Amino acid sequence: MTVNPQLQALFTSLREKPRKRVLFVCLGNICRSPAAEGVLLDVIAHEGAQDRWVVDSAGTGGWHIGELPDRRMRVHARNRGIELTHRTRQVRPSDFDDFDLIIPMDANNLRDLRSLAPSLEAARKIVPMATFIDPSMGYDHVPDPYYEGAEGFELVLDLLQNGCRTLFTQLSDPR
Ligand code: 4NP
């Protein structure tokens, strides 16, 4: 993974934090971002690092507030041993205080988050998910699976499992 100096400085500061707070963001908060939340929590549980991470997800849109993730997303995640129990919510201004890293799934989410960020400092917390995904997978974003078939949901989980493993490693204290 190649990281520019500004991102490297952010990751270094997060590595030193005893508790890293991560918010995943997509459009609806029913497919990609709750899946990312579940996948990262699964990595964290396998590593026994639950006390060092806070993980949540939210949507830039507000159509599905209070709902569980899309049933198809839950079924595909469950097939990989991951239960998605998040309840959909919309991004709120306080998220920029409450989280250290805010991770959009695609360019639209990135644009919308940048317009919501209350300051330049807050905007620096926004790091696209693709930053963590191995370039050999061929994706510069996590594609919306909502109108896709089963393969769309499998692709999302493949990308997220790859990216969240790298995210966990990048932000973990090497000691
Ligand atoms: P997500 O997918 O952003 O990955 O949760 C979507 C889910 C629902 C809608 C759009 C995207 N929608 O328009 O309802």
Side-chain angles (χ1 to χ4, degrees):
M1 181 185 178
T2 49
V3 178
N4 68 43
Q6 187 180 315
L7 211 50
Q8 196 59 63
L10 176 64
F11 291 170
T12 300
S13 73
L14 286 177
R15 249 175 246 134
E16 288 161 2
K17 285 197 76 172
R19 216 148 212 251
K20 304 120 192 356
R21 305 168 301 169
V22 177
L23 180 70
F24 293 104
V25 174
C26 61
L27 177 60
N29 191 216
I30 58 168
C31 294
R32 293 165 293 174
S33 63
E37 176 187 341
V39 167
L40 181 59
L41 285 171
D42 185 59
V43 172
I44 290 166
H46 275 101
E47 299 290 338
Q50 292 92 325
D51 58 335
R52 298 200 292 278
W53 293 76
V54 174
V55 184
D56 196 3
S57 64
T60 56
W63 307 286
H64 301 279
I65 290 171
E67 294 177 19
L68 280 170
D70 184 284
R71 193 188 59 78
R72 297 163 296 173
M73 194 78 253
R74 282 187 281 134
V75 168
H76 285 275
R78 189 177 299 134
N79 289 342
R80 299 187 189 209
I82 299 167
E83 286 295 324
L84 302 182
T85 58
H86 176 78
R87 291 284 174 171
T88 296
R89 73 169 178 89
Q90 197 165 13
V91 177
R92 46 186 175 241
S94 59
D95 286 329
F96 287 91
D97 293 322
D98 295 340
F99 293 92
D100 306 305
L101 201 53
I102 300 178
I103 304 182
M105 296 293 133
D106 65 26
N108 288 333
N109 313 146
L110 174 64
R111 182 202 59 214
D112 292 343
L113 279 173
R114 282 192 174 142
S115 72
L116 288 171
S119 66
L120 201 58
E121 191 191 354
R124 288 204 190 97
K125 297 179 172 186
I126 305 169
V127 179
M129 186 66 208
T131 307
F132 304 99
I133 296 169
D134 193 320
S136 71
M137 296 187 83
Y139 281 85
D140 64 359
H141 66 292
V142 180
D144 186 350
Y146 196 67
Y147 297 106
E148 303 295 328
E151 64 287 350
F153 289 86
E154 288 297 308
L155 171 63
V156 166
L157 288 167
D158 287 345
L159 294 170
L160 294 175
Q161 286 192 307
N162 178 276
C164 285
R165 165 62 47 194
T166 300
L167 169 59
F168 180 87
T169 307
Q170 279 287 331
L171 265 57
S172 292
D173 193 327
R175 280 173 295 177

